[in-house]
Amino acid sequence: MWSFRWVSVAIAGAAATVTLAAVTLAAVAAPRAPAPGVPAQRTAASLAGRAAPAAPAAQRPLTGPVVALGDSYTAGEMLPLNLTSQPPGCLRSPRAYPALVASALKATFVDAACSGAGVKEMTLSQRTYLGTNPPQLSALAPDDALVLLTLGGDDIGFLNVLHTCMELSITHLGSGSPCESYYTSGGTDQLAAKVAAEAAKMAAVLGAIHTRAPHARIVLVGYPDLFPQSSGCWPKVPITNGDVAYLRGIGTQLNAMLAGTAAAAGAAFVNTYTPTIGHDICQSGSVKYVEGLIPTSLTGPFHPNARGQAAMAAQVLAALRT
């Protein structure tokens, strides 16, 4: 989840690098013809070859490719970076959950996901700092067997939200719920409204996927748990306890919207939130599945680490078995 631009944030007198998003919401356009060069991407699942399968149980090989679409949570955000994937600016990783799933299924893998992608990048090219990614839907084909997708976080600008919440937390010395007050001023919860507005756009994306890959099983994968179930861990992650509760609620609303949209579209939804409770950004390095403001393992701030991606892959594989 969540496109980013490098931003410096001063915390207790020290500078920390945070990645932030700037995404313009757009409606989904009609399907396009596959972009030139896409068929060449349909090689064996070598991208995932260096990573162990995410689940020990044997899986029946698929008869068609696995295609990954979506944002940085799908791409894997550099853990480690796949140096052969184009464009490099999408920050795809062979340890991302779709690559692990394709490896476990012994399937051909087509990776179109890109860090910073939102709904509009499904039908429009995406410029990155290192190259341009074609419209993600152009990677689909009629023989695809499985499409994996995580999407929506960038469209509500969640990394920008976190940046705002951290700034407000510092100015309020870690007390109260200044971020919630900011986003609910005027009597309307701006973030909840963005989540609700995203449902129709996600439904259009799922419909477009089905049109291009009519025989594929479409699996919409939700976002894992980022925040503790009780208090936060200020100042390590400078978000007040009150705002941790507020942001956790927005995250659950986003997942609920994705689940409902998937059900209405006849797609599957995989809940990665519940299985990752207790592995949030405030946990120790050996326990957490999602990194905090200053990552302790190779990935972007507020993104799943290798353990988190493996946990997400395990949930997808379990869902496919049923």
Side-chain angles (χ1 to χ4, degrees):
M1 175 161 78
W2 314 334
S3 64
F4 64 97
R5 294 177 181 173
W6 296 109
V7 178
S8 287
V9 180
I11 298 174
T17 301
V18 190
T19 57
L20 299 176
V23 178
T24 303
L25 300 182
V28 175
R32 301 182 179 186
V38 167
Q41 298 174 8
R42 297 177 173 273
T43 57
S46 58
L47 297 182
R50 295 188 297 276
Q59 297 282 340
R60 182 178 301 173
L62 296 183
T63 57
V66 172
V67 183
L69 306 176
D71 59 26
S72 54
Y73 273 50
T74 320
E77 193 78 3
M78 306 183 297
L79 55 111
L81 183 66
N82 179 4
L83 298 177
T84 66
S85 182
Q86 296 297 321
C90 283
L91 305 181
R92 298 175 185 134
S93 172
R95 294 188 181 179
Y97 79 81
L100 300 179
V101 169
S103 178
L105 297 176
K106 299 178 174 58
T108 299
F109 182 45
V110 179
D111 195 353
C114 194
S115 290
V119 164
K120 68 184 181 68
E121 280 74 33
M122 298 301 103
T123 56
L124 298 175
S125 296
Q126 179 182 354
R127 293 182 62 183
T128 74
Y129 291 109
L130 293 171
T132 298
N133 198 44
Q136 291 193 26
L137 294 184
S138 67
L140 297 171
D143 66 335
D144 293 331
L146 176 64
V147 178
L148 301 174
L149 171 71
T150 299
L151 192 66
D154 277 298
D155 281 340
I156 66 171
F158 210 73
L159 275 182
N160 279 331
V161 170
L162 292 176
H163 180 225
T164 298
C165 291
M166 289 186 289
E167 284 189 335
L168 291 171
S169 172
I170 293 169
T171 59
H172 286 73
L173 301 178
S175 63
S177 304
C179 189
E180 180 178 13
S181 297
Y182 176 83
Y183 283 106
T184 60
S185 62
T188 299
D189 190 325
Q190 300 169 44
L191 299 185
K194 285 185 177 182
V195 170
E198 192 73 2
K201 299 171 186 177
M202 287 299 305
V205 169
L206 295 177
I209 293 172
H210 179 69
T211 297
R212 288 177 173 270
H215 305 296
R217 184 171 185 180
I218 303 171
V219 179
L220 185 57
V221 181
Y223 292 98
D225 180 27
L226 270 70
F227 302 103
Q229 298 298 300
S230 55
S231 60
C233 50
W234 198 95
K236 183 174 71 172
V237 178
I239 300 174
T240 68
N241 291 343
D243 285 336
V244 162
Y246 170 64
L247 293 172
R248 185 173 63 247
I250 295 297
T252 56
Q253 289 177 50
L254 176 59
N255 277 322
M257 180 276 292
L258 295 174
T261 304
F269 175 78
V270 173
N271 172 15
T272 66
Y273 180 89
T274 303
T276 56
I277 289 175
H279 300 277
D280 53 78
I281 58 176
C282 287
Q283 304 306 316
S284 67
S286 62
V287 175
K288 62 184 173 183
Y289 287 171
V290 182
E291 296 295 331
L293 175 62
I294 303 176
T296 57
S297 64
L298 186 61
T299 189
F302 303 106
H303 282 76
N305 55 30
R307 288 185 300 274
Q309 289 284 352
M312 295 172 73
Q315 293 303 311
V316 173
L317 288 168
L320 292 176
R321 286 195 292 269
T322 62

